[in-house]
Amino acid sequence: MVDPVSLPLTPAQYGLWYAHHLDPADPGHNTAELVELRGAVDVAALRAAVRVAAEESGALGTAFTVDGSDVRQVRGAEPVPVAEVDLSAEPDPVAAALAWIDADLAVPADLAGAPAAAEVVFVLGPEHVAWYQRAHHILLDGYGYALIATRVAEVYRALVSGAPAPPSPFGALADVVAEQRAYRSGARFGVDRDWWLGRMADRPDAVSPARSATRGRGFVRGHAEVDPAVAARLAGRGMVPLAAAAAGLLVQRVCGADEVVLGLPMMVRLGKAARVPTTAVNVLPLRVAATPRTTVGELVAAVAAELRAVSAHQRYRGEDLRRDLRLPAAEPLVGPWVNIKPFTPRLDFGGPAATTRYLSAGVVRDLNIGLSGNGTDLAIAVDGNPGGYAAEDVTAHAEAFAHVLDALSAADPDTPTGALGLRADRPAARGRGRE
């Protein structure tokens, strides 16, 4: 176990701290993933590996202290229990595990206690085990989960072979705090701020395909298949710009807009943060514009250029940008999000085959269009805020996104986007712009 250390919150954590306290009863602050293992699994060794990685991370045993306006985190304050739940005698062990997980995710995390996380190993059958981990978003983001999962697999392989585990690969959050303080007090912070203010000065109004502006808690999710042939084309032509262009084109068609501003979660894993299990994600605006005459090549090239520019200025926090633009609390800066996770690790447990499933990525304010995986193994998950979307809505959006990905990735670059035959349903889209 790491020695407890008291640190200030990072800028990313401050945003999540305040978001949590605006609605502490929202279970959407929980994030979670499930790793299914098929094959011969040493359950005791798996639990031990999870315990080692969780304690090495420091993040999952974090406690928070508040003294007036000063909030601090004590990393490694408490060990994280690793529970074992045997569901192998259930008629449908997988359904029983998912019901258990749904009930767990429905409970809001309590940042006044520690840990705001859970680690559970489900025994589903003789050669079927699932490892579930859940954490408040202030503790981990998607990349943080990937770091821990990779370490668990590494430690597990060592334990079952009788070899000593390699040294922990994790970096120290204290180094990240120091780097971010240096950035925010340096010249680069002002350069990034000026670029963002210039880029968003003439921004279009935010639009949404939601049925209403009502906000609900939690989210509803829809899934769609990504054909391996489509995944191969995405890999060959550039998965991230094509996926972002597809999401932008989908929102444009549904909302009847020639330009939209998507929310783009950026990993911000620069410098020491690349090795630290924490939350560093920063949601920034991504402008996507296309008329029916815009060719596929022009659209993808423009989105790729926009992604490069956003990436170059990704350390500037979205929360700071909202403040600098003097947006009222109720006015959105972006519409739906496009969350592309090409970093899903191929976990090597030395025998059992592992499959990772992202269960919850945090609070869903409108619509989150997600694409995750690696190689030709990709998955689409679209999450909608239940106040504005029904289950059939998010399923329809997931299927439409798969359709646009297919069409864009297969089209000749000179093809006008208006000739792609995309679905153009427009179910009560709302404009949510400046008054």
Side-chain angles (χ1 to χ4, degrees):
M1 184 174 176
V2 298
D3 293 331
V5 57
S6 177
L7 296 166
L9 303 188
T10 65
Q13 289 177 309
Y14 268 117
L16 290 164
W17 175 266
Y18 290 120
H20 171 91
H21 285 88
L22 285 173
D23 189 3
D26 189 348
H29 297 290
N30 288 322
T31 63
E33 73 171 20
L34 186 70
V35 177
E36 280 196 76
L37 299 172
R38 291 188 179 272
V41 178
D42 185 329
V43 175
L46 177 59
R47 290 182 64 197
V50 172
R51 186 175 299 107
V52 167
E55 293 184 353
E56 285 177 347
S57 76
L60 299 178
T62 297
F64 295 89
T65 62
V66 182
D67 184 3
S69 61
D70 182 34
V71 183
R72 296 184 69 84
Q73 57 184 315
V74 184
R75 302 267 290 188
E78 294 187 11
V80 181
V82 182
E84 178 180 339
V85 178
D86 190 340
L87 299 174
S88 59
E90 294 288 330
D92 187 339
V94 173
L98 293 177
W100 193 103
I101 289 168
D102 286 344
D104 181 67
L105 285 174
V107 178
D110 179 11
L111 295 184
E119 298 284 353
V120 181
V121 173
F122 293 102
V123 178
L124 305 177
E127 293 193 344
H128 191 188
V129 171
W131 160 43
Y132 164 70
Q133 57 176 340
R134 179 258 300 160
H136 190 290
H137 203 358
I138 200 171
L139 304 180
L140 284 180
D141 57 18
Y143 194 81
Y145 274 104
L147 289 173
I148 291 177
T150 301
R151 177 58 173 167
V152 168
E154 180 181 56
V155 174
Y156 175 84
R157 293 197 310 270
L159 290 175
V160 296
S161 68
S168 172
F170 299 147
L173 185 62
D175 293 334
V176 178
V177 171
E179 284 183 343
Q180 292 178 344
R181 280 182 170 174
Y183 165 70
R184 295 181 72 84
S185 62
R188 184 67 202 187
F189 182 79
V191 171
D192 290 342
R193 177 182 183 274
D194 291 345
W195 185 87
W196 275 111
L197 288 177
R199 185 68 186 109
M200 300 307 292
D202 63 343
R203 67 192 184 278
D205 292 345
V207 294
S208 168
R211 296 185 179 208
S212 76
T214 304
R215 280 285 310 278
R217 290 171 173 164
F219 61 89
V220 288
R221 172 168 287 187
H223 296 275
E225 299 286 334
V226 179
D227 188 275
V230 176
R233 293 200 300 265
L234 291 173
R237 297 184 60 181
M239 170 178 161
V240 175
L242 270 169
L249 201 55
L250 172 63
V251 176
Q252 287 177 343
R253 292 299 174 90
V254 172
C255 295
D258 286 337
E259 183 177 11
V260 295
V261 185
L262 304 179
L264 179 70
M266 300 291 295
M267 293 192 300
V268 201
R269 292 291 178 160
L270 309 171
K272 299 291 180 65
R275 298 188 300 111
V276 178
T278 185
T279 188
V281 68
N282 184 17
V283 181
L284 292 168
L286 180 75
R287 296 177 65 165
V288 180
T291 69
R293 295 184 301 276
T294 304
T295 68
V296 168
E298 290 168 341
L299 171 63
V300 175
V303 171
E306 186 78 359
L307 286 166
R308 289 192 296 272
V310 170
S311 181
H313 302 280
Q314 66 178 289
R315 287 187 292 178
Y316 197 77
R317 299 294 308 173
E319 300 92 336
D320 290 328
L321 181 57
R322 284 191 58 87
R323 180 202 64 217
D324 293 334
L325 292 172
R326 298 180 180 178
L327 292 183
E331 182 179 326
L333 176 60
V334 302
W337 293 10
V338 54
N339 194 358
I340 307 165
K341 299 179 181 178
F343 52 77
T344 303
R346 295 186 182 276
L347 301 175
D348 179 10
F349 282 85
T355 303
T356 301
R357 186 189 311 183
Y358 297 105
L359 302 176
S360 174
V363 172
V364 178
R365 304 192 182 284
D366 185 276
L367 189 74
N368 292 3
I369 302 169
L371 179 67
S372 61
N374 50 51
T376 58
D377 184 15
L378 300 179
I380 291 173
V382 174
D383 297 338
N385 185 283
Y389 300 90
E392 59 268 24
D393 297 328
V394 292
T395 297
H397 287 311
E399 292 172 350
F401 181 54
H403 174 67
V404 180
L405 280 176
D406 186 1
L408 267 188
S409 63
D412 184 277
D414 293 330
T415 303
T417 58
L420 291 177
L422 303 180
R423 301 171 185 175
D425 302 327
R426 297 178 181 177
R430 292 184 295 109
R432 305 180 303 170
R434 301 179 291 280
E435 298 295 327

